[in-house]
Amino acid sequence: MNENELKTQSSFGSVDAIGQSKILIVEDSPVEAEILRRTIAGVGYTVSMADNGKEGLQAVRARRPALVLSDINMPVMDGFQLCRALKYDDELWNIPLILLTVLSEPTDIIEAINSGADAYIVKPFVETTLLNRIRSLLDAPIVRPRKQERRHYTVSYAGKRLVIAGNGQQILSLLLSVYENTLNQNREMEATQNQLRLLNESLDRQVLARTAALRESEEFKSAIINSSNDCIKILSTDGLLKYMSDGGLRLLEIEDVNKYLGKSFLDFWNVKDRKVVQEAIANAAQGGTGRFQGYSPSEKGTPKWWDVIISPIRETDGAISKLLAVSRDITEHRQVESRLNEQLDELQRWQEASMGRELRTVELKREVNELLVQAGQPPRYPSVTADETGVCPKWIDLP
């Protein structure tokens, strides 16, 4: 026999004796019902289950348990109603009943007394407290039916006069369980406060360290961003300017960024480009990436072409809170591209003119050959020959 088994026997009696005691658990929450079942069955009690007060009452009448453990807030029939049904029944009145609930107001405790409950334990329960209370009630039989009790007590609470009906044994047992709950809760609260104090001291140290590291990290990132040759902006999801990097201020020749903060990103672009800008913002706000090229003058009027990528900025929970817009100056590239296109156009025009002159020369040679053939003379240009009919064909060899 191991140490845990010895402790179980010393606290709750022998396993054989406990196994003869059947306990009915009435609980509508499957999770809480299973926690209770494991706790009680773990020390050797026989356990049965019911989902609500009505099913619990039927189970008690079908097979009498040694004790009933019931939740209060349940559908069909709650714990108070189940308790009254048992305590005022001629056959079932002396079955101990423990109410296990999250309700902890004094009015709830008075209601528990009036319904005839023998113990009142507040969730979340302390396992040893619950098992001790079960053992205590099984060891102290109830000797007087509730319906024979005629003593009523009037108390005042929160400006109201409340009536308590019960006998000394039942009231004392229930109040002892409430007192035990209070002691346990106070101990847990004290332990929790000590843990919180230690955690707060540890957190304070961590916060100081993290703040210093974060400040260094932010300064490092800020230095990288501000030294970039790109124009970096932070936008709201509806396209309002929240931040602009120092590099962006230089590129746009802006001296005071404050007069632009809060304004729409659309205001930076020519009217004809604003549709594609709006589409890029909307796409990024929905989790995609928006990209476009547009034309925008600087504050001092210098025109520039920009290649812009807008991406979402997500929080730790995945929600999109802001947008990142990175604009690259492609003015020089566009100018080179424009000059190249102009040169290509000019080359094409020259090529077309040259080809026209060559084709006209060949056509003239063909006409000369045709006239010579008609005159009975041989062709002068052998690369342009006539067919058997004496007519020069449509195809020609260039000289």
Side-chain angles (χ1 to χ4, degrees), residues 5 11 18 22 30 152 177 182 194 210 289 323 336 341 373:
E5 289 173 337
S11 300
I18 289 176
K22 178 183 177 182
H152 292 75
S177 68
T182 303
N194 288 333
R210 290 292 299 274
T289 299
L323 305 178
V336 171
N341 288 333
V373 169

Side-chain angles (χ1 to χ4, degrees), residues 328-345:
R328 176 157 294 181
D329 184 356
I330 58 170
T331 304
E332 184 176 351
H333 172 79
R334 289 296 293 259
Q335 290 172 347
V336 171
E337 185 179 87
S338 178
R339 287 195 298 270
L340 180 60
N341 288 333
E342 290 175 357
Q343 291 172 358
L344 288 173
D345 290 340

Side-chain angles (χ1 to χ4, degrees), residues 25-136:
I25 296 174
V26 186
E27 171 63 70
D28 63 322
S29 168
V31 175
E32 295 190 8
E34 179 59 20
I35 293 173
L36 286 169
R37 187 196 68 76
R38 292 188 181 188
T39 300
I40 296 172
V43 295
Y45 289 110
T46 300
V47 179
S48 60
M49 314 287 287
D51 291 336
N52 56 63
K54 184 178 180 180
E55 290 184 10
L57 185 59
Q58 293 172 348
V60 171
R61 288 172 176 167
R63 186 179 177 188
R64 180 188 179 95
L67 181 142
V68 176
L69 180 62
S70 176
D71 186 24
I72 292 179
N73 291 327
M74 295 182 295
V76 185
M77 176 186 287
D78 65 26
F80 291 138
Q81 294 170 328
L82 172 62
C83 190
R84 286 191 178 88
L86 292 179
K87 292 303 180 178
Y88 287 89
D89 187 284
D90 290 335
E91 301 295 330
L92 309 174
W93 60 269
N94 60 344
I95 298 175
L97 188 143
I98 299 175
L99 290 175
L100 183 63
T101 180
V102 295
L103 304 176
S104 59
E105 292 294 323
T107 52
D108 300 319
I109 297 172
I110 291 174
E111 181 66 17
I113 294 174
N114 289 337
S115 65
D118 299 288
Y120 191 93
I121 295 180
V122 178
K123 298 177 184 178
F125 62 88
V126 178
E127 185 174 311
T128 54
T129 299
L130 175 63
L131 295 175
N132 281 328
R133 185 52 48 191
I134 290 173
R135 186 61 179 170
S136 176

Side-chain angles (χ1 to χ4, degrees), residues 223-243:
I224 292 176
I225 291 173
N226 290 327
S227 62
S228 172
N229 289 326
D230 294 333
C231 180
I232 300 174
K233 305 180 185 72
I234 302 295
L235 312 176
S236 64
T237 53
D238 56 353
L240 301 182
L241 182 65
K242 298 297 183 182
Y243 166 83

